[in-house]
Every structure is written in C-alpha cells, then in structure tokens.
C-alpha cells in the first residue's frame, strides 16, 4: 500500500514537471525563435507608442464569419485611433453588419 502511494506521488511530480513546466517552456522557446513577433502579440506601434495588437478585434467581412462584438470591431473612435478593447452594451438588434462595416 505505501509503495503504491509513493509511486503515485512520484508519478504526479514527474508528469507535473513534464507537462506543466518543460513542455510549455519548450513551446515558448520554439515560438520565440521561429515567430518572435507573433509570439509577443503582434504589437502595433505608431510614432514610437504602443497602440494595440494586430490580433485583437480584427474586422471580418462576409457571411461565413461570426459577428464580432460591435465595440471590438470598430476602429477609429478612440484617442489613438483604435477602440478595439473597450466594452459596449450594443447588441445585434441595434447594429447590423452594414452598420459595423462603416
């Protein structure tokens, strides 16, 4: 019985180290070496100031895409020209795909 408990604890520690530490570390290193810009969030800078990310709230056009949150897909209204991260109470009944494309 004690031998089984010790084996269980040992296996838990080994698999925690492998899947919780070593694997994520290896994937992070590979991502940083192969795709450093994308791995760091595809950040967008204007005049030396960080203004957002290319990956956040992209506008999609076409019936095959899900509708994004209206506030997350509307650009050009914030002080930096990007308003991609703010919230809104607007729902689909208040904004149609044609309105969001403007």
């Amino acid at each position: 019985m004690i031998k089984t408990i010790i084996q269980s604890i040992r296996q838990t520690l080994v698999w925690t180290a492998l899947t919780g530490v070593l694997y994520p570390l290896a994937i992070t290193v590979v991502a940083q070496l192969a795709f450093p810009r994308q791995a760091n969030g595809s950040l967008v800078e204007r005049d030396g100031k960080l203004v957002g990310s290319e990956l956040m709230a992209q506008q999609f056009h076409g019936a095959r895409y899900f509708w994004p949150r209206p506030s997350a897909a509307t650009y050009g209204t914030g002080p930096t020209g990007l308003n991609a991260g703010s919230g809104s109470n607007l729902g689909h009944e208040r904004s149609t795909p044609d309105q969001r494309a403007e």
Side-chain angles (χ1 to χ4, degrees):
M1 174 84 167
I2 297 293
K3 185 178 177 183
T4 304
I5 293 173
I6 291 172
Q7 282 180 331
S8 299
I9 292 171
R10 197 176 303 149
Q11 283 292 315
T12 300
L13 294 175
V14 167
W15 286 107
T16 299
L18 284 174
T19 61
V21 177
L22 294 177
Y23 179 75
L25 183 62
I27 295 301
T28 300
V29 168
V30 168
Q32 288 292 333
L33 293 175
F35 309 103
R37 190 173 148 281
Q38 292 90 340
N40 291 318
S42 298
L43 301 177
V44 176
E45 289 186 18
R46 287 195 185 144
D47 300 324
K49 296 177 81 176
L50 182 64
V51 295
S53 171
E54 291 178 4
L55 302 175
M56 186 173 165
Q58 299 175 21
Q59 290 192 4
F60 295 101
H61 301 285
R64 66 183 183 152
Y65 298 113
F66 287 113
W67 289 2
R69 228 177 46 234
S71 62
T74 305
Y75 292 94
T77 58
T80 62
L82 295 173
N83 193 23
S86 64
S88 170
N89 290 332
L90 295 177
H92 289 297
E93 64 275 352
R94 293 181 128 182
S95 61
T96 64
D98 295 330
Q99 290 172 329
R100 281 197 308 268
E102 295 176 356

